[in-house]
Every structure is written in structure tokens, then in C-alpha cells.
Amino acid sequence: MSSVAGEMRSEIRGVLFHESTIMSRLDELAGQISSDYSGKDLTVLAVLNGSLMFGADLLRRLEMPLRLDCLSVSSYHGASTTGVVTFNQLHLPEVHGRHVLLLDDILDSGHTLHAIQDKLMAETKPLSVKICVLLRKDVPRQRELEADYVGFDIANEFVVGYGLDYMERFRNLPYIGVINDEAITKYAPKG
Ligand code: IMP
Ligand code: MG
């Protein structure tokens, strides 16, 4: 193990889902999605940066010639949601009349996916929009929103890895885990 990987590992308090567990679940999810969208013209809309790893691994398991678009939003500051969703690009991908599968790392308060779904419906009028998340947190949603495909249900705790960050760190962990208090303090937002 390299020293960099070791450094990051020492900041992880526990592992929630090992890489092999995630991969097995993605096999199942991909089977379900492939069968549901069989014969349809599917456009996957990946929400960056959180769905980068998830999307890369999931999409390579899907069997249809789908289109891929990405969009970037921000709503989190540190370990809590701000509730204000900022779109980091001027225009949404053009998905008028298409079947869209929105891909995100985690469904928490629901603000992010709700805002994206709303904007998509209002501006580009897709044929259908479904939601696929790797994780779904056990918290009351602040927005009415159901995920159609869910990798894993988790308790209300802050997790990192496999795309998920704390202050933009830890996205590159190959598994999903929980960071320790020292790491939370070390990378905490200043001021
Ligand atoms: P929501 O808008 O509250 O549903 O939050 C969705 C976004 O918040 C996700 O796309 C993540 O970027 C971020 N987020 C929510 N919970 C966590 C977590 O436990 N770890 C890392 N990021 C999270
Ligand atoms: Mg984030």
C-alpha cells in the first residue's frame, strides 16, 4: 500500500461498503435498469462530481447504446446541506423528448435532485425522468421525491468515498466509509 493510500486510510473510522459489495450491487442494479429500458432510447444524466465513480462503474454494466450527459451542481458546505442548489453551467443538456435517468451519489434532503428534476421538466421537457442513486439516507425528505433505483439504504450519518466527499476530499476512496473526528476537524471549512 502506498503512503498516500495509507494516509487516507488512517482517517477512516469505519467501512460501510467494501468495493466488492458495491460491485455486486451494481451488477444487480444494472440488470434491472437494462431490462426496464430495453428497446428504449436512454439518456443518462450524471450529476457531478459525486456520481463520477458510480456512473463509470454502473454505465459499463448497462447493455444498451445509451447517451451520457453530465451536469454539475453544488448544495453542500462541509457536512450539511445548504438547501440552496446552484447550477454550475448556464444550460442544461438537451433532453427534450428523451427518456432520462438521473444519476446521483446520494439522496439526502432531496433538495438537489428535486431542483434538477424541476428545471429539466420546465426547460427541456423530457419524455420521462427516473432517478437512480447509489445511497439513500434514512432522513425525512425536505422535498417530495422518490428514487426509482437505489444501491443501498443507509442510516443518517455522513459518509465519504467512491465519489462522495467531505470538503472535496475522499472522493477517491474505492469504498464507502466514515471519517474520524480528527479528519472532520482537519478539513473543516475555515471561518
Ligand atoms: P440533498 O440535496 O440533501 O439530497 O443532498 C444531495 C447531495 O449532498 C449529494 O449529491 C451529495 O453531494 C451531498 N451529500 C449528502 N449526504 C452526503 C454524505 O453523507 N456524504 C457526502 N456528501 C453528501
Ligand atoms: Mg458533495
Side-chain angles (χ1 to χ4, degrees):
M1 180 86 53
S2 76
S3 59
V4 173
E7 180 195 329
M8 191 159 57
R9 210 176 32 177
S10 72
E11 299 182 320
I12 304 302
R13 180 156 60 79
V15 179
L16 232 63
F17 302 107
H18 289 281
E19 198 175 356
S20 56
T21 312
I22 300 173
M23 295 310 132
S24 310
R25 183 67 188 121
L26 293 194
D27 286 340
E28 295 172 353
L29 268 186
Q32 207 183 334
I33 295 170
S34 293
S35 120
D36 290 355
Y37 285 96
S38 151
K40 290 188 178 147
D41 186 14
L42 173 64
T43 300
V44 171
L45 214 58
V47 184
L48 297 178
N49 299 326
S51 70
L52 187 70
M53 319 288 171
F54 174 42
D57 287 331
L58 180 73
L59 265 53
R60 280 180 290 182
R61 288 169 161 78
L62 295 182
E63 289 160 11
M64 69 289 263
L66 55 83
R67 309 183 212 213
L68 170 64
D69 259 310
C70 297
L71 67 106
S72 160
V73 296
S74 356
S75 68
Y76 248 61
H77 187 61
S80 57
T81 181
T82 59
V84 180
V85 180
T86 310
F87 288 79
N88 300 329
Q89 62 273 295
L90 281 178
H91 301 287
L92 288 174
E94 179 49 69
V95 291
H96 181 83
R98 296 203 206 146
H99 292 292
V100 173
L101 182 62
L102 266 177
L103 220 63
D104 205 357
D105 50 1
I106 187 165
L107 174 58
D108 187 4
S109 71
H111 280 301
T112 306
L113 285 164
H114 189 267
I116 295 171
Q117 205 179 28
D118 253 19
K119 205 169 157 73
L120 273 181
M121 290 302 198
E123 292 183 11
T124 76
K125 304 212 169 24
L127 200 54
S128 71
V129 180
K130 281 192 180 186
I131 290 175
C132 174
V133 290
L134 177 65
L135 304 174
R136 177 169 59 189
K137 233 184 234 192
D138 186 14
V139 289
R141 303 283 165 254
Q142 291 173 31
R143 297 288 185 164
E144 201 170 310
L145 190 117
E146 282 301 319
D148 301 279
Y149 305 95
V150 177
F152 304 98
D153 279 297
I154 63 165
N156 185 13
E157 62 180 337
F158 193 79
V159 297
V160 298
Y162 195 65
L164 291 125
D165 71 299
Y166 172 60
M167 293 304 291
E168 295 303 328
R169 266 70 162 220
F170 301 103
R171 290 194 198 274
N172 56 318
L173 269 183
Y175 51 83
I176 294 166
V178 182
I179 48 175
N180 61 29
D181 292 344
E182 292 89 89
I184 292 175
T185 310
K186 182 174 168 189
Y187 303 110
K190 308 267 182 287

